[in-house]
Structures are given as C-alpha cells and as structure tokens.
Amino acid sequence: MVLHTLLQLAGVSFLALTASAQNASMSAPGSPAVDNSTTYMNPILDGTGADPWVIQDNGWYYLTFTLTDNITLYRSKTLTDWNDAESKVLFNPPSGQPYSTDLWAPEIHNINGSWYVIFTADPYGDEPPPEQTQFCTFDCPAVNHRMYVLQSSSSDIWSSDYTLKGQLDTFDQFAIDGTYFVHPTGLYHIYSCWYDGLQSWPANLCITQLSDPWTTMSNLTERTIISVPSNPWEKTPYGRTSNVRLSSNEGPEQLISPTGQHYLIYSAARSDNPNYCLGQLALKPDGDPMNAEDWVKNNEGCVFYQNKREQAYSVGHASFVKSPDGTQDWIVYHGMQNPFLGWTARSIRAQQFTWNEDGSPNFPRPGYGPYPVPSGQRRLALLHDISIRTFPPATALHDISRASATSSSTNSLHAPLKSTFNSRPRLDLYPDQITTNRSKLVEDKMPNPRVYTNPAPVTESAKAQLANFHCDLCNKGYARQNEFAAHEGSYEHNHNKRRLELKAMSVSMSNSSSGTKKKKKGLEEEGIMEIDDGNGAGGGGATKSGGVGDVGPKRRFKGIGGGFKRTVEGEGIEKEKDEGSTGGKTEGKVGLSEKEEEVESDAEEPGYEYYDPLKGTACTAECAGLCAAG
C-alpha cells in the first residue's frame, strides 16, 4: 500500500509500472525475466559449497562459506537463489602467514554496531611437518588450525573494508568452526577442540568467555568442554568402539527459540561421511554457559539427518535465518547427493523448519523440493526487480552499463547490479519437462533429484578456483588437491579413461591391420614372396589346413635360383616361376583372374580352418605322419 501510494503521488500507476518493467525485459534480448516462481529447488547455489553462514541485514541476505583461499561475501534479495548474487572479497591472506591456507567456515556477526568475521586457518595447507605429527595420537593434518577475527571499518556490512584484528586465543591448540555465543551473561566463543594440543581425536566442543570479539578472557583451566562425541551417531563409522578416531563434534551454531530458550546446534560424525548430521544441546534456563552441567544433550539421536529416499546425505554445518517478512525460520546447510565423492560433493541447501510444543526446533527431512519460497520473498523480489528495471525506462538490467557507455544520458538512478533472478532453463529436469526451444521452464513438474548435477560455478572467484587442479580428460577443475584426487578415483574419470584406452586400442589394431597389408605389398614389390615349406600339414602360419594367423615358424622366405616363388599346397597354383635375377612374367595362374589376383582382403579366405589345440603345429615333412596321427 505504501509503495502504491508513493507511485500514485509520482503520477505512475502500479499496473503501468509493472507493464513497463515487463516491456523492458521483452525489449532487450537475453534480459532476465521477473521471477514469479512460488517454489524453489535445492541446492540454492550451483557448484560445490560447504559450511554456509547466512545473515539478514537491511533487506538483504548475506552468505559466506568455505572457499579455502579467501573469504568472500555474497548478497542477494532472495534466500533460495544465489546463482546471480553479487560478491565481494573481504579477505585475501598473504602467503607465509599462520592464516594463509585452508580458511574454513567463516561467519560474520554484528556485535556492538561493528561486523566481525570469525574463521579458522592453517599455515601449512593441512600438511604439517613430520617432526610435529609424530607426536599425535592419530593422523593430525589439522593440528595447526587456529581461529582468527576480521573487523569491519564501519557499520555497513557491504561497503566496509575488513582488516585482520588478530588471532582468537585457543591456547595454541587445535581449533576449528568457531562461533560467537551471545548470552545475557556475556559473549562466548564455542569451537571444536581436542583435549590437548596433540591428542588428535576426539573432536569436542569447547567454550571460553570473551572480553571482546577478538580477546579471550578465560585461561586454559577455565576452558570448558561442554560436549564429547559419546553416542554411536557421533562416531565414524557409526558406533565405532575400537578407538575414538574420527569421532567428532563440530560446527556449533546458536539458535534461540521464540520462547527465549538457548540451543546449540552442532554437527556430529565426520563431514565426508553419509552419517554426518546435526545434534542438539540446550542450555538450562538461567544456566551458566561455562558450566558443563548446565548443558543438556539430546542423546536420543540426530535432530537433522540423512534422507536416503531422496539421496540427501551428509547434512550438517547449518546456520539459521528468518524469512523476508520475519514470520518463518529457515535452516541453511550443506549436504551431498553422492556420498562417495567426499567433500567435493557438498552443496548448499535451505529449508523451512518449525518449533515443537516444548520449544525445541522441529527440523524437516532434508531433500531437494520443490518447496514453497520463504514468506515475503516473492513480493520483495518483485519490487526489487521492478525498481532496477524501470530506471532508465525500457532498458534491460544487464544493458545498463552498455547503454550508459553509448549515450550521454545520465538518468540512471541505480548503479548496474547483478540480477538475483536466473532466466536460463533448469537442465536438472527430465527432458520431457523442458519445452522444445529449451528456453522456458515447464512449471508444475517434479524435478528429478536423482539425476541432478551441479553446473559450473558462476562467480568469478569460484571460476578462478578451478584453475588450481584441472582434469583435461573430463574437462573439470577443482580448487583443492584432495578434491582433484577424489575426482581421479570417481567412476566418471575412470570411465572416460577406459573409453580413451579402448579407442587407442582400436586405432592401434586398425593401424596393425593396415601395416600388415602394406608389408605384404612391399615384399611383393621387392620380389619377395612368402612360401610355405613343408607339406601343409598344420602349422603356425596362415595355411590352408589350419594355423593361427601370422604367428609361428611356418612362414619362410627363401630364394630359388636368384628369384623367388610362393606355392600354395593343395591348389596346384604356382604364383611365379623362377625367371632368374631379371624377373619374368607371371605364368601358370590357375583359376584366378588378374582382377582377383590384385585384390587383397583382410577377411579370412574361404577354406581356412579353425585352430585345433590338440593338433600339432609347425610340422615338417619328416614329422607329417606323426602330426596326422595326432
């Protein structure tokens, strides 16, 4: 109503404005259409993505997730489609620093009017020196991971510059997946930790109190372990009893219920395993976050876990956000469709969740959809799309910069933005669900998640990552060596490799056959003819009475009086008579015309017999009787 009133005051009707926006999109070929969809599909971002963190501020959604070599922030007006979101690199670490590699699980929080990015990083790319790892109880590639903090230059999350504030003290011990826990009693840091610096596994949940977002107030003895992976579903493989290796609690996130109850939702088991899921801790009313006894663990099982029927595996490391109108709660998480590809198979998804009568979260079964879009998203997206399409009139969004470059007009009220809508057809549908021109989505059709594949990344930073490790055979790129190694062991890569080998083998056989013909022709041109000495009773050559092709000792080349001749036993055919060194005309051809004599064929000639393994081979005239006798 407010927008309608403002438009009336400006002398423009809402219907006319809508029509103008539609005409603008139609007038420029290739311009994205207004998103009128009421449903969406998972994943919400094409390509690989893990450890998503989403926050809402001033009408925008902001997303960051693990990219390993930098921290990038994305923003979008819609929660369920990030393929055309704007992006901005917040932090690109220099080399040779303790935080230069493997930047994982970044989160951005607004604390006291400033924005803080908390993340974990490593100096060695998860390849510590053996002088250090020899003291670990198990393999410990992440032994040097620590927590770090960036601070914004202003209260504006998007326009701010971000600088490294410092390392968040975890007592020089392993620390990943840290988050801020805001409570009336103070600010806390909860992260995944070991018992000490070298006891690698289990991974527990530790808490320390902070005096500010980058300073730890607690000492090592005050640090509290509030959860250990003691349940079967927190171990890898499920129910492991031999030792505590791969038993893990990680990815903690604060969640406050509508009644004010404080929950901690964390990830359990190993993140590249199908059993990866979400567990739940609840802080008692008036409980002390630093007191382990005040945390109540839900030991009945995962509160959010894999859905095999829809091929949704390894679901975890979640964050929580409201719908655009604030009436719904949403979980944003990562999961896999193929659990055998490891970490490279993770993608970012989102679904609505509700609350149980006791105030605890009621998470849905993970899946692919289609699901209704968040409440208020369609209206917000439509208004945003209209606003960026009507100034200047009849100019498509992606043509704004081109129009401004070719015209002196300066009537554009908005800088060029990337649209949050995607007009390309969804190729993850069944073929019969796409129109013949493949340019318009046929609605009210169920996409098939079982054949869903993630298209190539869209953002420039994601594309740049693919240059690190590239498979020329499959024409695919990967950002990390372990992702590339997983691809090399995949069915797709080995299938393509085998096809290439078979093709090479086929070419080799073809060349071999062609070479044999050329060899025979060359010998004949030189006056060298193949002969079959012996009486034709079997043999290793291609004789009339048996043999196995061109192998074996039956073939012989011999000169006769300065010339050469070839005889074929049993046919009475003499191909060439000795004419001395000067050669001579071919005589005595019986039953063969000149045309038939010149034609060569790779096919087996009539009269050839199959090789009999019980029959002697390479017999000479002296042993012919023995061979005939078997």
Side-chain angles (χ1 to χ4, degrees):
M1 180 61 69
V2 174
L3 177 63
H4 183 68
T5 303
L6 291 174
L7 293 175
Q8 284 184 329
L9 292 175
V12 181
S13 70
F14 183 80
L15 292 177
L17 186 58
T18 305
S20 175
Q22 292 175 343
N23 291 335
S25 63
M26 294 174 60
S27 62
S31 60
V34 176
D35 185 4
N36 290 318
S37 63
T38 58
T39 61
Y40 73 97
M41 293 290 299
N42 277 324
I44 59 175
L45 175 65
D46 295 343
T48 300
D51 312 327
W53 171 265
V54 176
I55 194 169
Q56 192 178 19
D57 182 66
N58 196 28
W60 289 89
Y61 286 103
Y62 294 89
L63 165 70
T64 186
F65 57 93
T66 296
L67 291 177
T68 73
D69 67 340
N70 67 58
I71 297 175
T72 299
L73 186 66
Y74 302 82
R75 75 171 182 175
S76 170
K77 284 292 184 179
T78 62
L79 175 61
T80 55
D81 186 359
W82 292 84
N83 289 312
D84 294 306
E86 297 175 82
S87 64
K88 174 183 178 180
V89 176
L90 302 187
F91 183 62
N92 198 6
S95 60
Q97 300 298 321
Y99 46 83
S100 294
T101 65
D102 282 352
L103 285 70
W104 296 348
E107 300 181 1
I108 186 164
H109 297 253
N110 190 315
I111 301 174
N112 297 327
S114 293
W115 293 96
Y116 295 91
V117 178
I118 182 173
F119 65 98
T120 182
D122 178 275
Y124 301 117
D126 269 17
E127 295 181 0
E131 293 80 10
Q132 182 181 25
T133 59
Q134 64 183 335
F135 296 106
C136 292
T137 54
F138 300 100
D139 291 341
C140 53
V143 64
N144 293 301
H145 264 275
R146 302 291 185 267
M147 298 302 305
Y148 298 90
V149 178
L150 305 177
Q151 185 180 26
S152 67
S153 59
S154 70
S155 60
D156 189 296
I157 185 174
W158 189 252
S159 63
S160 285
D161 294 324
Y162 289 80
T163 56
L164 182 66
K165 192 66 178 179
Q167 179 178 334
L168 189 55
D169 188 16
T170 56
F171 317 107
D172 199 26
Q173 296 183 15
F174 165 85
I176 64 169
D177 295 353
T179 189
Y180 292 119
F181 186 86
V182 182
H183 190 263
T185 59
L187 180 65
Y188 300 87
H189 177 213
I190 303 180
Y191 60 99
S192 184
C193 64
W194 296 341
Y195 284 117
D196 57 44
L198 296 173
Q199 190 172 345
S200 52
W201 307 108
N204 312 302
L205 292 181
C206 287
I207 185 171
T208 57
Q209 190 166 7
L210 306 178
S211 58
D212 54 54
W214 64 92
T215 306
T216 301
M217 211 168 100
S218 306
N219 58 41
L220 178 58
T221 59
E222 294 172 328
R223 184 192 73 170
T224 302
I225 296 177
I226 60 176
S227 179
V228 297
S230 56
N231 293 296
W233 45 271
E234 296 175 298
K235 302 176 182 292
T236 303
Y238 183 93
R240 183 175 190 150
T241 58
S242 58
N243 54 50
V244 294
R245 183 174 180 270
L246 305 183
S247 300
S248 180
N249 286 174
E250 62 183 29
E253 300 296 347
Q254 183 177 15
L255 178 61
I256 302 177
S257 74
T259 60
Q261 173 71 52
H262 289 265
Y263 289 94
L264 191 70
I265 307 299
Y266 65 95
S267 300
R270 186 171 166 86
S271 58
D272 62 346
N273 188 276
N275 294 328
Y276 195 61
C277 67
L278 294 182
Q280 176 182 295
L281 291 170
L283 184 63
K284 294 179 180 179
D286 300 326
D288 180 2
M290 293 292 293
N291 187 3
E293 287 73 21
D294 286 341
W295 290 96
V296 180
K297 189 173 188 176
N298 183 347
N299 292 309
E300 296 180 359
C302 305
V303 294
F304 187 63
Y305 52 94
Q306 63 180 324
N307 185 354
K308 293 185 177 181
R309 292 182 177 179
E310 292 201 28
Q311 294 188 335
Y313 302 98
S314 191
V315 292
H317 205 118
S319 60
F320 309 99
V321 70
K322 289 284 188 180
S323 61
D325 62 5
T327 62
Q328 297 174 341
D329 293 282
W330 285 72
I331 177 175
V332 182
Y333 63 97
H334 73 232
M336 301 180 186
Q337 184 180 9
N338 187 339
F340 304 108
L341 295 180
W343 289 304
T344 62
R346 295 178 295 181
S347 59
I348 299 175
R349 300 105 184 273
Q351 289 177 243
Q352 183 188 356
F353 72 95
T354 57
W355 300 91
N356 297 312
E357 293 183 359
D358 63 356
S360 62
N362 178 24
F363 295 113
R365 303 293 287 119
Y368 297 91
Y371 302 116
V373 298
S375 178
Q377 174 172 291
R378 185 183 178 191
R379 176 178 176 273
L380 178 64
L382 179 62
L383 295 179
H384 174 69
D385 198 60
I386 290 175
S387 68
I388 63 177
R389 290 176 187 279
T390 54
F391 305 102
T395 302
L397 174 62
H398 75 289
D399 283 339
I400 289 180
S401 57
R402 185 174 64 183
S404 62
T406 58
S407 173
S408 58
S409 173
T410 57
N411 62 342
S412 176
L413 301 184
H414 294 264
L417 298 176
K418 294 181 67 177
S419 173
T420 58
F421 307 119
N422 191 352
S423 63
R424 65 183 184 275
R426 291 292 296 271
L427 300 182
D428 56 322
L429 305 181
Y430 286 113
D432 60 354
Q433 293 175 347
I434 302 179
T435 56
T436 54
N437 61 9
R438 301 184 69 82
S439 62
K440 180 181 179 181
L441 174 66
V442 178
E443 298 184 356
D444 300 328
K445 296 287 186 179
M446 172 70 76
N448 180 18
R450 296 180 183 272
V451 297
Y452 186 89
T453 57
N454 290 328
V458 177
T459 62
E460 292 302 323
S461 60
K463 290 179 181 178
Q465 294 298 307
L466 299 183
N468 292 346
F469 299 94
H470 191 270
C471 176
D472 295 330
L473 178 61
C474 304
N475 194 25
K476 288 188 175 182
Y478 297 91
R480 302 180 64 188
Q481 191 276 337
N482 63 329
E483 297 175 353
F484 180 70
H487 167 73
E488 286 187 318
S490 67
Y491 170 82
E492 177 191 14
H493 179 79
N494 285 282
H495 178 67
N496 289 337
K497 183 178 179 182
R498 182 58 178 162
R499 288 181 57 190
L500 187 63
E501 291 173 350
L502 291 175
K503 183 177 180 180
M505 186 183 300
S506 175
V507 172
S508 176
M509 293 175 63
S510 176
N511 292 339
S512 176
S513 175
S514 176
T516 301
K517 293 173 61 178
K518 291 180 180 179
K519 176 182 176 181
K520 291 180 180 179
K521 187 175 181 180
L523 291 173
E524 292 178 356
E525 289 177 352
E526 295 178 11
I528 302 175
M529 307 300 294
E530 293 180 279
I531 67 170
D532 186 0
D533 59 345
N535 58 8
T543 64
K544 298 296 280 186
S545 58
V548 288
D550 290 336
V551 297
K554 193 62 180 177
R555 291 285 186 191
R556 297 288 187 272
F557 299 100
K558 86 166 62 167
I560 303 178
F564 296 85
K565 71 176 181 179
R566 181 178 71 175
T567 60
V568 183
E569 301 289 345
E571 294 291 337
I573 303 173
E574 189 170 304
K575 298 283 290 186
E576 184 176 334
K577 290 188 176 180
D578 183 16
E579 295 292 341
S581 60
T582 59
K585 297 181 180 179
T586 302
E587 298 179 3
K589 295 181 181 178
V590 180
L592 292 176
S593 66
E594 291 185 4
K595 183 176 182 180
E596 292 172 328
E597 178 68 19
E598 294 174 357
V599 174
E600 290 187 355
S601 173
D602 290 335
E604 191 175 34
E605 297 178 10
Y608 272 63
E609 300 175 3
Y610 288 104
Y611 168 65
D612 185 355
L614 299 179
K615 191 174 184 180
T617 60
C619 286
T620 62
E622 290 77 8
C623 65
L626 296 176
C627 293

